[in-house]
Amino acid sequence: MIIRTVLLFLPLFLTAGPVSAMQIEADPRIIISFMDKSLPPELDILRVTTDVSEDNHLIFQVQTKGERASGEDNDYVMLQIQHEKTYALIIPLNRETSATIRIYEAALQPENPLTSISFKESRINSEHPGFSVRRIERGTEFTMPLDWINFGADFSFDAYTVSASIEEGALEINDVYDQARRGRAQAKQISAITLLNNICSPKK
């Protein structure tokens, strides 16, 4: 029902703003990442894909070239969402550790590098239950409820493998190993309604 309602109002959003605001990448549902032979396979992001589930959840799959059972405890897979704030959804890279999602937030700082952003633990999952994570083959799947999204605001996403420290409810990114959009221009902020419409449209 949520998806049908959103798509019903899409023409109103399209006619309300200037054409230049709608210029987006060819397919905003997916990021194809450049392979980096200098990185271990488990740190090398291959792609990020998006979808909407039948129970009205937005799904992001971050796939890497390989997997790691154990090793450095401070390595994480991170999904970054920029939507009114900057959110960091993380899970330990090592597959032997618990697959529990941790969510942190900071002020919206699209121009700042991750290592300079001060993240604090977010209460978003308690306020909007439905955020979750699970491990998939050579990757991670992040899920979030559609009713959390403000469809009148902009939305963008990216994925990283990082080294990070967590202490007293704060997240500090120490090093970025790989970024899905590395080597490209910074992701454009597009309206959340436009992103959802593209995700729900027939795949080419």
Side-chain angles (χ1 to χ4, degrees), residues 77-135:
V77 176
M78 171 180 161
L79 176 69
Q80 182 193 53
I81 299 293
Q82 296 196 44
H83 182 56
E84 300 184 303
K85 296 181 180 180
T86 298
Y87 295 94
L89 289 68
I90 67 170
I91 182 176
L93 185 70
N94 300 335
R95 298 183 73 86
E96 290 183 353
T97 58
S98 173
T100 302
I101 194 168
R102 301 187 71 163
I103 307 175
Y104 297 84
E105 64 181 52
L108 189 62
Q109 305 170 56
E111 303 297 331
N112 291 10
L114 282 178
T115 52
S116 70
I117 298 177
S118 298
F119 289 96
K120 64 178 182 179
E121 194 164 10
S122 177
R123 298 177 55 187
I124 191 171
N125 201 16
S126 60
E127 296 170 352
H128 297 270
F131 285 79
S132 63
V133 67
R134 71 183 183 97
R135 302 189 191 279

Side-chain angles (χ1 to χ4, degrees), residues 148-165:
W148 164 67
I149 298 173
N150 175 5
F151 290 106
D154 289 342
F155 193 106
S156 68
F157 63 95
D158 206 343
Y160 302 80
T161 50
V162 301
S163 171
S165 302

Side-chain angles (χ1 to χ4, degrees), residues 135-196:
R135 302 189 191 279
I136 58 177
E137 185 177 359
R138 291 189 297 112
T140 305
E141 182 178 275
F142 296 90
T143 301
M144 61 192 63
L146 281 179
D147 61 11
W148 164 67
I149 298 173
N150 175 5
F151 290 106
D154 289 342
F155 193 106
S156 68
F157 63 95
D158 206 343
Y160 302 80
T161 50
V162 301
S163 171
S165 302
I166 299 173
E167 187 174 350
E168 297 182 351
L171 171 71
E172 180 180 349
I173 307 299
N174 301 317
D175 193 15
V176 175
Y177 299 123
D178 196 17
Q179 175 187 4
R181 295 188 190 272
R182 186 192 300 192
R184 297 182 177 90
Q186 184 177 350
K188 295 180 181 179
Q189 287 274 306
I190 63 173
S191 68
I193 190 73
T194 301
L195 176 67
L196 184 63

Side-chain angles (χ1 to χ4, degrees), residues 18-33:
V19 174
S20 60
M22 304 306 298
Q23 292 178 352
I24 57 177
E25 293 183 14
D27 191 344
R29 296 169 296 197
I30 186 169
I31 307 170
I32 301 297
S33 184

